[in-house]
């Protein structure tokens, strides 16, 4: 039996759409083609944005698409729970460990101050505004004084000159300096754990060996690698697939029409049409034709996945309905 383990981890803050299906299908094929175990995890850590009914809908949509999983919130498994909101104690343990190692510090910067930085030239990346380290060097007395008026977030200290290098399974060798974006938040001022820390802890606990996800998260990878190392955890292999884009050059979304799986299903589109269409976009088949997900397993080859964003023009979308 293969030791390969992968996952798909949707956030139930909206309906599943073809962009989600694109990442889910390719992550599933990557693991199934290697006879590995596939995990479904629900990333609902941002409680105010997430809804249980959308989590249930996501599971139903993925099953309708023809995907299955060996472990998940509805099936259980040896590394349960598979829902982030039930894993808070694990994240707090990690924060305690990082704190004792001297790698965290409280940040009292207000949203307005951070937005001011964001509006400055070169202040933004896909990871958000660079942080200038304003609170990193506060004295204990200054921290205590500020704590009376504002609850702090917690930031992870980055060695500014440190370069992180990793081999991406689709994009090849990647090298970046995470410190260019400044120290990053691992727990917000409202107590919500950051995506960066939660995903590292979950993937390690669930023994994930391979992470395939959208290229919008490529900038997150160096920061996550730093967290893996700081916590003494094994680093998985990463592969980032290109995003599906509208003709306006923006990520495919509601503004480009109803691309939700439930909407397509209601319009009479069969799941095989969506799977075959996505397989064609991913270079896995030479021409578009309806296909079941399990028909793609034996021939799946990540080398054929495009490296650049894919523009979904009207003609491509119409293929789903013809």
């Amino acid at each position: 039996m293969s030791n390969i383990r992968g996952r798909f981890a949707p956030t139930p803050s909206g309906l599943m759409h073809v962009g989600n299906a694109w990442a889910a299908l390719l992550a599933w094929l990557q693991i199934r083609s290697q006879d590995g175990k596939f995990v479904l995890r629900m990333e609902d850590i941002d409680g105010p944005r997430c809804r249980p009914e959308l989590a249930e809908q996501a599971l139903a949509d993925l099953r309708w698409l023809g995907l299955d999983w060996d472990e998940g919130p509805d099936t259980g498994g040896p590394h349960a729970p598979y829902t982030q909101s039930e894993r808070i104690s694990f994240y707090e343990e990690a924060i305690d460990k990082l704190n004792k190692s001297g790698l965290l510090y409280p940040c009292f910067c207000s949203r307005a101050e951070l937005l001011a930085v964001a509006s400055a030239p070169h202040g933004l990346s896909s990871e958000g505004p660079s942080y200038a380290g304003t609170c990193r060097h506060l004295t204990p007395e200054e921290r205590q004084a500020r704590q009376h008026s504002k609850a702090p977030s917690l930031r992870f200290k980055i060695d500014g000159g440190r370069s992180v290098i990793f081999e991406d399974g689709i994009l090849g060798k990647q090298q970046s300096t995470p410190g260019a974006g400044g120290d990053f938040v691992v727990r917000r001022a409202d107590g919500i754990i950051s995506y960066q820390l939660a995903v590292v802890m979950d993937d390690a606990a669930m023994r994930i060996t391979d992470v395939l996800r959208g290229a919008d998260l490529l900038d997150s990878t160096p920061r996550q690698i730093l967290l893996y190392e700081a916590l003494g955890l094994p680093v998985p292999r990463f592969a980032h697939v290109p995003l599906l884009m509208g003709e306006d050059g923006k990520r495919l979304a509601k503004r480009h029409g109803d691309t939700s799986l439930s909407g397509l299903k209601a319009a009479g589109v069969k799941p095989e049409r969506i799977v075959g269409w996505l397989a064609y976009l991913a270079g896995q088949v030479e021409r578009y034709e309806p296909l079941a997900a399990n028909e793609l397993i034996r021939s799946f080859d990540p080398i054929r996945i495009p490296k650049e964003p894919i523009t979904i023009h009207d003609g491509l979308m119409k293929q789903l309905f013809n």
Side-chain angles (χ1 to χ4, degrees), residues 9-17 20 42-58 254:
T11 298
S13 58
L15 291 171
M16 292 278 293
H17 53 76
N20 303 128
M42 204 56 63
E43 296 196 338
D44 65 341
I45 195 155
D46 193 344
R49 292 178 56 239
C50 298
R51 306 209 309 268
E53 63 270 24
L54 290 174
E56 292 180 17
Q57 183 67 52
K254 287 180 182 177

Side-chain angles (χ1 to χ4, degrees), residues 143-165:
R143 288 176 180 171
Q144 190 169 6
R146 296 192 185 197
Q147 198 136 7
H148 289 305
S149 57
K150 186 183 184 304
S153 62
L154 285 177
R155 289 186 181 270
F156 179 83
K157 295 178 183 177
I158 296 181
D159 176 355
R162 165 80 189 277
S163 182
V164 173
I165 301 172

Side-chain angles (χ1 to χ4, degrees), residues 270-277 279 285 287-293 295-296 319-320 322:
K270 300 296 183 185
E272 293 80 9
R273 296 193 70 84
I274 298 172
V275 169
W277 184 73
V285 292
R287 65 182 185 279
Y288 167 63
E289 60 179 328
L291 290 165
E295 293 181 84
L296 295 163
Q319 286 182 330
L320 288 175
N322 294 336

Side-chain angles (χ1 to χ4, degrees), residues 69-294:
W69 42 93
D70 303 288
E71 303 168 25
D74 57 340
T75 57
H79 308 294
Y82 295 91
T83 300
Q84 281 190 337
S85 57
E86 299 177 59
R87 301 183 59 81
I88 303 300
S89 61
F90 296 102
Y91 312 141
E92 293 295 348
E93 287 175 14
I95 283 176
D96 187 52
K97 182 175 182 178
L98 292 171
N99 234 337
K100 287 178 178 176
S101 299
L103 293 172
L104 303 182
Y105 64 89
C107 173
F108 301 91
C109 293
S110 67
R111 186 178 296 273
E113 289 168 330
L114 294 174
L115 288 175
V117 174
S119 64
H122 311 296
L124 283 173
S125 71
S126 60
E127 268 295 301
S130 297
Y131 181 65
T134 308
C135 293
R136 182 168 182 168
H137 303 294
L138 294 178
T139 65
E141 292 77 20
E142 288 172 323
R143 288 176 180 171
Q144 190 169 6
R146 296 192 185 197
Q147 198 136 7
H148 289 305
S149 57
K150 186 183 184 304
S153 62
L154 285 177
R155 289 186 181 270
F156 179 83
K157 295 178 183 177
I158 296 181
D159 176 355
R162 165 80 189 277
S163 182
V164 173
I165 301 172
F166 68 96
E167 187 70 23
D168 190 278
I170 292 170
L171 302 176
K173 183 180 179 180
Q174 302 293 308
Q175 180 172 351
S176 72
T177 307
D183 302 332
F184 60 91
V185 172
V186 293
R187 187 173 68 198
R188 293 176 1 191
D190 60 6
I192 292 178
I193 304 295
S194 77
Y195 162 77
Q196 306 291 9
L197 180 64
V199 74
V200 164
M201 291 301 295
D202 290 344
D203 282 342
M206 295 169 193
R207 301 182 183 178
I208 300 302
T209 61
D210 292 81
V211 173
L212 185 150
R213 58 192 182 186
D216 55 323
L217 292 170
L218 182 62
D219 278 0
S220 290
T221 305
R223 293 182 172 191
Q224 289 170 14
I225 289 174
L226 293 179
L227 284 173
Y228 278 111
E229 293 176 351
L231 291 163
L233 300 171
V235 181
R237 292 178 288 267
F238 292 97
H240 292 85
V241 297
L243 299 181
L244 304 185
M245 313 292 281
E247 291 186 275
D248 57 0
K250 296 180 180 179
R251 187 174 175 177
L252 205 63
K254 287 180 182 177
R255 59 180 167 270
H256 302 111
D258 187 359
T259 62
S260 70
L261 296 185
S262 57
L264 292 171
K265 181 181 179 180
V269 177
K270 300 296 183 185
E272 293 80 9
R273 296 193 70 84
I274 298 172
V275 169
W277 184 73
L278 293 173
Y280 172 67
L281 295 180
Q284 302 303 303
V285 292
E286 292 184 2
R287 65 182 185 279
Y288 167 63
E289 60 179 328
L291 290 165
N294 58 20

